[in-house]
Amino acid sequence: MENFLLALNVVLPIFLTMALGFYLKRLKMVDESSLNTMNKLVFRVFMSTLLFLNVYNIGDLSKLSIDNLKLLGYAFIIIFVIVFLAWLIYMPKVKEKKKLSVLIQGVYRGNFVLFGLAIVDSIYGKEGLATVSLLTIVVIPTFNVLAVIILEYYSGREISKLKLIKQVFKNPLIIATLLGIVFILLRINIPKPIYKTLSDISKISTPLAFIVLGAELQFGNMLKNVKYLISVNLLRLIVNPLITIGIGKLIGFQGIELVALLSMSACPTAVASYTMAKEMKADGDLAGEIVATTSMFSILTIFCWVLILKNMAWI
């Protein structure tokens, strides 16, 4: 019963906040224009501020333990394993390249910062956030760099290396991560009034992001893509965490480390993947449907993962 309540405590706040966003949209208190504005604010300002502070709060990178480096290395490698697996599955079956790139992105690229912080905070509290913040140094750049490369490669256009580099370094989350690392390496201390201001701003990010996500859930005409959506949801929400956590446990990760890996692999497909797919002329409709369905079903699957791992005494 205790494990059930813990799992419920992890997903219920996420579900209720997303439900609020969905309800606000039904009441017409928000529209597409205001949601687009809020979405930009969340990812360019609030979420970036949160990510910057989480990286900054890691402290001295030279004090990272062997276990920390092992976790970072594993996260980096397993992302490529999942990408390769998705490519192997979809490459022979999907002839439309713009669909293929979106499907691969849907499988490996999760809403890590948004869901990861919420999951770990629910289970381990603030002390667990350091491990997730550490992972963001590797995970966020890897997610985004691979997304740009995959979407550009299968766009049918001539690939420009300069454009690829520009796309990567224009990403607000990558900028925030790199800025946090620079502040650590240069040992820059943020004055207390500024730090408090940044901290207050960062607290807006998670609830507002879930409200926007709930309001933007659009299921539209999914019948034409139903077979793709079923496969992506299975790979994203079940197979990905099964591989990531299973191999991680065999390697020796436990407790907070496994929860960090869970939050990386079991969260729904990143909202930014929809925006990026549209901007890079991929199948934007399919990308949006993947975000919507994985966001909805992840509430159930995350609950099940937390319950199973807790009953197995892995976390």
Side-chain angles (χ1 to χ4, degrees):
M1 187 63 182
E2 183 183 341
N3 293 339
F4 176 84
L5 290 174
L6 174 64
L8 195 64
N9 285 335
V10 171
V11 299
L12 195 57
I14 296 173
F15 172 77
L16 291 176
T17 312
M18 286 176 63
L20 173 62
F22 186 78
Y23 187 59
L24 290 174
K25 180 73 178 293
R26 292 291 296 270
L27 290 176
K28 297 184 178 180
M29 293 183 70
V30 291
D31 56 18
E32 291 301 322
S33 176
S34 61
L35 286 172
N36 286 334
T37 302
M38 285 192 285
N39 204 31
K40 287 178 183 177
L41 276 172
V42 167
F43 286 98
R44 295 182 185 180
V45 181
F46 303 134
M47 192 65 70
S48 298
T49 304
L50 176 64
L51 188 54
F52 166 74
L53 283 182
N54 284 335
V55 173
Y56 173 81
N57 288 332
I58 291 170
D60 193 350
L61 290 175
S62 64
K63 292 181 180 179
L64 293 180
S65 67
I66 297 297
D67 287 339
N68 291 148
L69 296 175
K70 183 179 172 183
L71 181 64
L72 293 179
Y74 174 72
F76 180 74
I77 293 168
I78 205 68
I79 291 170
F80 280 87
V81 170
I82 299 299
V83 169
F84 183 63
L85 176 66
W87 182 83
L88 276 181
I89 291 170
Y90 289 121
M91 183 62 184
K93 300 174 183 176
V94 183
K95 302 306 177 186
E96 292 180 59
K97 301 303 182 186
K98 293 182 178 182
K99 266 189 170 56
L100 176 62
S101 60
V102 167
L103 291 168
I104 294 171
Q105 183 185 219
V107 172
Y108 86 84
R109 189 182 183 192
N111 228 340
F112 176 54
V113 177
L114 180 56
F115 278 77
L117 294 171
I119 293 169
V120 174
D121 190 28
S122 296
I123 298 173
Y124 285 107
K126 300 301 179 187
E127 67 270 17
L129 296 180
T131 304
V132 176
S133 302
L134 188 63
L135 269 186
T136 59
I137 294 175
V138 166
V139 173
I140 297 302
T142 306
F143 274 176
N144 287 281
V145 170
L146 283 173
V148 171
I149 292 171
I150 292 167
L151 290 169
E152 192 69 36
Y153 183 78
Y154 287 113
S155 67
R157 300 188 299 270
E158 187 178 343
I159 300 171
S160 165
K161 291 181 181 178
L162 183 61
K163 187 179 178 182
L164 281 176
I165 294 169
K166 283 182 179 178
Q167 287 277 10
V168 169
F169 284 98
K170 278 167 58 179
N171 187 291
L173 298 183
I174 289 182
I175 293 170
T177 304
L178 293 176
L179 199 59
I181 293 171
V182 168
F183 269 61
I184 291 173
L185 294 176
L186 297 180
R187 301 181 186 278
I188 299 172
N189 289 319
I190 302 174
K192 284 185 178 180
I194 296 176
Y195 183 90
K196 186 178 186 310
T197 302
L198 292 175
S199 179
D200 289 342
I201 291 171
S202 71
K203 289 172 185 174
I204 302 170
S205 64
T206 302
L208 183 58
F210 280 126
I211 287 172
V212 173
L213 182 57
E216 286 189 332
L217 287 181
Q218 292 181 4
F219 301 99
N221 182 20
M222 293 185 177
L223 290 177
K224 62 179 180 177
N225 290 320
V226 68
K227 64 177 182 179
Y228 294 133
L229 294 174
I230 291 171
S231 65
V232 168
N233 274 268
L234 287 172
L235 289 170
R236 173 69 231 166
L237 303 176
I238 297 174
V239 177
N240 189 336
L242 186 64
I243 292 171
T244 302
I245 297 166
I247 296 175
K249 179 63 177 177
L250 289 174
I251 290 173
F253 295 123
Q254 56 188 352
I256 292 177
E257 294 168 331
L258 284 181
V259 174
L261 292 174
L262 170 69
S263 66
M264 179 186 88
S265 60
C267 56
T269 302
V271 177
S273 66
Y274 165 64
T275 308
M276 192 176 286
K278 286 179 66 177
E279 286 179 0
M280 300 181 73
K281 310 301 180 187
D283 192 331
D285 290 341
L286 177 58
E289 290 165 5
I290 289 171
V291 170
T293 52
T294 56
S295 296
M296 180 176 67
F297 290 121
S298 68
I299 300 297
L300 174 62
T301 54
I302 289 171
F303 172 83
C304 292
W305 277 116
V306 173
L307 187 61
I308 290 168
L309 295 178
K310 197 66 182 173
N311 282 328
M312 293 172 69
W314 284 19
I315 62 175

